[in-house]
Amino acid sequence: MDNKSYVVQMSGNGVHGKGPNGTGVNGKSANGKSLSGKGLNSHGFHHVSVNGSLYPAKAKSRRRMWEVKPSEMANNTLNPIRAIVDGMKITPNPEKPMIALSIGDPTVFGNLPTDEAVLHSLKDAIDSQKYNGYAPSVGYLKSRQVVANFYSCPEAPLEAEAIDLCISVLCNPGDNILVPCPGFSLYKTLAVSMGIQVKLYNLLPEKSWEVDLQHMESLIDERTSCLIVTNPSNPCGSVFTKEHLQQILRVASKHCVPILADEIYSDMVFPGCSCPSMASLSSSVPILSCGGLAKRWLVPGWRMGWILIHDRNDIFGSEIRQGLVKLSQRILGACSIVQGALEGIFNNTPQSFYSRTIEFLKSNSEMCFNELSTVPGLNPVMPSGAMYLMVGIDMNHFPEFKNDVDFTERLVIDQSVFCLPASAFEYPNFFRIVVTVPQEMMAEACARIRGFCQRYYRPRSCDLDQ
């Protein structure tokens, strides 16, 4: 007889469990002797072999007291936005309703609903009963083909949860990545938790937030594993020209550094601007492009994103592709129902929906920029896309405040207007405004910001002498 072991559970009267073929194991051993629960370990579990021998499991630990600690990854995970906002003393003025210009969620105020075609596509996917089960970790083949067809172009053909996977597949602990400053804070949150160094390259507000190319290139070394480019930008709302994107690509090509292109705001650009994908401008630099439904289709809660692999010279090879497949298995794939809705969303959303959204964002941005441009001590930078606008603070004119965090905190206390201090993006003495709020609310917020600045603005002594 095979001497196989089985885990069985003890009751107070004996042993109960299952044998190899579903046979019961009762209170008697194989040799007929009774097994009582006395003298057995308090957990009520023992290993019983088929030949009737009984033995306790060996202890694997000799700890004398409890000592449970969080992992290094948990300790190293920090969201800069949460770290700053949670530390702020935010108590709004009770006499004024709160206006939150800090949340990058276009659905908060209900004035920017998604299109009916998007909702119908989701309902159709549910009603079909085809997407109730587990999808492949990399997504349904049909859904991947739909995305590839939608974004493919002759200059950047495509093969049949994105930023995290891209950083993970390209970088090892001790490597470094180049990240825009100011830039989306999640890049640093993800990288640092994995032991990856973040090097910040400067964007230039006086040049509509173009990259300081010389500074970016000076940061590259032998451990630089990828360059992150966000276009259009969060938090700046800037859109790089074709010529500037080509300059960035030349630096990446010169130093053989792959690009992670965060293009979640792709096509959310104001009339008169263009936003070509990075992959359409280069055939030599391998690019992982991250996109999703969240912003353009105004459904951030649906949590649907994708990675487009542009690698016409096969520099990534099969290993990077296989690495992405393996890493996707950690998150068990995107929502199957939303995947089933993608074809209808892409094919049936009318152009008028996109145009209305862009026109609203442009109108709000222009209103905000025009109003704040005439406020002493503030220097807004007009955006060209996305849903954000950055405003510089001349702190020399506001001596009562230590920095942008102090400034925005007092703005909440006095005026019940909450703007996100740009220290959250590692760019002090600016604040970010989200331009998705209703227009009447934006106008009221700008008026309150003006009143706040007029109250605290102080001319410098040199200004008085002129």
Side-chain angles (χ1 to χ4, degrees):
M1 180 181 293
D2 293 337
N3 191 24
K4 296 180 178 178
S5 295
Y6 303 86
V7 174
V8 295
Q9 186 171 0
M10 297 294 299
S11 73
N13 298 320
V15 183
H16 300 274
K18 296 286 184 181
N21 299 310
T23 57
V25 181
N26 58 23
K28 292 185 177 181
S29 67
N31 62 12
K33 294 182 180 180
S34 296
L35 296 175
S36 73
K38 297 179 179 179
L40 302 180
N41 69 59
S42 60
H43 300 293
F45 285 89
H46 270 295
H47 285 83
V48 179
S49 67
V50 179
N51 66 9
S53 62
L54 180 67
Y55 59 91
K58 293 182 179 179
K60 294 184 178 179
S61 172
R62 294 189 177 275
R63 290 178 180 167
R64 294 292 181 260
M65 60 174 51
W66 286 100
E67 188 179 13
V68 182
K69 297 181 179 180
S71 67
E72 289 186 14
M73 176 178 284
N75 284 333
N76 290 333
T77 299
L78 175 68
N79 185 327
I81 293 179
R82 292 263 48 94
I84 289 176
V85 172
D86 290 348
M88 295 174 69
K89 300 180 179 68
I90 302 176
T91 306
N93 184 337
E95 297 180 0
K96 298 183 178 184
M98 183 71 166
I99 301 177
L101 304 179
S102 58
I103 307 170
D105 181 347
T107 71
V108 169
F109 297 96
N111 60 312
L112 289 174
T114 191
D115 192 76
E116 284 294 319
V118 177
L119 300 178
H120 284 309
S121 297
L122 188 69
K123 293 172 184 175
D124 289 344
I126 294 172
D127 292 340
S128 74
Q129 299 280 352
K130 295 179 181 178
Y131 306 104
N132 293 336
Y134 292 121
S137 60
V138 294
Y140 291 116
L141 177 59
K142 180 180 179 181
S143 301
R144 290 173 10 234
Q145 289 173 333
V146 166
V147 174
N149 292 338
F150 190 77
Y151 285 98
S152 186
C153 63
E155 298 84 7
L158 286 167
E159 319 163 351
E161 211 50 297
I163 294 173
D164 188 8
L165 297 184
C166 289
I167 293 176
S168 299
V169 79
L170 294 175
C171 308
N172 289 308
D175 286 351
N176 65 76
I177 60 175
L178 306 189
V179 173
C181 181
F184 186 39
S185 60
L186 185 62
Y187 306 140
K188 184 174 181 179
T189 299
L190 296 171
V192 172
S193 70
M194 293 185 279
I196 298 163
Q197 181 187 7
V198 173
K199 293 184 176 183
L200 302 174
Y201 64 85
N202 293 330
L203 304 183
L204 304 172
E206 67 274 15
K207 293 187 176 181
S208 298
W209 301 110
E210 283 192 350
V211 174
D212 183 336
L213 295 168
Q214 185 175 359
H215 180 238
M216 182 181 73
E217 186 168 10
S218 72
L219 299 175
I220 298 174
D221 62 26
E222 67 280 357
R223 295 301 300 269
T224 302
S225 51
C226 83
L227 164 63
I228 295 181
V229 179
T230 312
N231 191 46
S233 167
N234 175 11
C236 302
S238 55
V239 178
F240 295 150
T241 64
K242 175 182 177 180
E243 292 73 25
H244 190 57
L245 289 172
Q246 289 172 328
Q247 291 174 325
I248 297 170
L249 284 163
R250 282 195 286 271
V251 173
S253 178
K254 175 181 176 181
H255 296 279
C256 300
V257 177
I259 288 178
L260 194 171
D262 183 352
E263 298 177 331
I264 188 68
Y265 295 97
S266 173
D267 299 310
M268 293 186 72
V269 298
F270 300 163
C273 300
S274 63
C275 185
S277 68
M278 294 205 76
S280 68
L281 302 177
S282 174
S283 59
S284 60
V285 178
I287 297 171
L288 297 180
S289 173
C290 298
L293 291 181
K295 307 300 183 178
R296 191 182 184 197
W297 286 270
L298 305 176
V299 286
W302 290 15
R303 315 305 292 170
M304 172 58 64
W306 47 77
I307 301 170
L308 309 179
I309 303 174
H310 300 274
D311 183 26
R312 276 167 279 177
N313 292 336
D314 201 31
I315 295 170
F316 284 144
S318 62
E319 292 184 352
I320 294 296
R321 291 170 175 78
Q322 285 302 311
L324 286 169
V325 171
K326 292 176 181 178
L327 289 170
S328 70
Q329 294 165 355
R330 297 176 58 190
I331 61 173
L332 301 181
C335 175
S336 58
I337 293 173
V338 182
Q339 289 187 59
L342 284 177
E343 185 171 18
I345 291 171
F346 288 163
N347 293 340
N348 301 329
T349 303
Q351 182 59 42
S352 58
F353 165 73
Y354 305 126
S355 299
R356 282 195 307 271
T357 302
I358 293 300
E359 186 53 43
F360 175 85
L361 296 174
K362 179 175 183 287
S363 176
N364 252 13
S365 297
E366 289 177 339
M367 176 203 298
C368 184
F369 175 79
N370 291 334
E371 288 294 321
L372 298 186
S373 291
T374 60
V375 174
L378 297 186
N379 299 292
V381 181
M382 180 62 195
S384 299
M387 53 182 66
Y388 311 102
L389 181 149
M390 288 279 276
V391 181
I393 313 167
D394 189 342
M395 297 304 301
N396 292 323
H397 285 297
F398 298 99
E400 190 162 337
F401 308 120
K402 294 179 293 185
N403 50 39
D404 57 309
V405 176
D406 199 20
F407 181 97
T408 52
E409 184 177 87
R410 188 73 65 86
L411 181 60
V412 175
I413 295 171
D414 283 15
Q415 298 291 336
S416 295
V417 175
F418 184 22
C419 303
L420 194 62
S423 287
F425 309 108
E426 307 205 50
Y427 206 82
N429 301 334
F430 275 75
F431 60 86
R432 187 191 74 174
I433 290 177
V434 178
V435 298
T436 57
V437 301
Q439 288 189 333
E440 62 276 10
M441 194 176 290
M442 178 61 75
E444 173 64 18
C446 289
R448 292 189 199 176
I449 293 172
R450 177 184 294 276
F452 176 82
C453 290
Q454 288 174 341
R455 176 181 177 184
Y456 291 104
Y457 178 87
R458 302 289 182 270
R460 292 174 293 189
S461 58
C462 61
D463 297 332
L464 295 174
D465 295 336
Q466 292 178 358

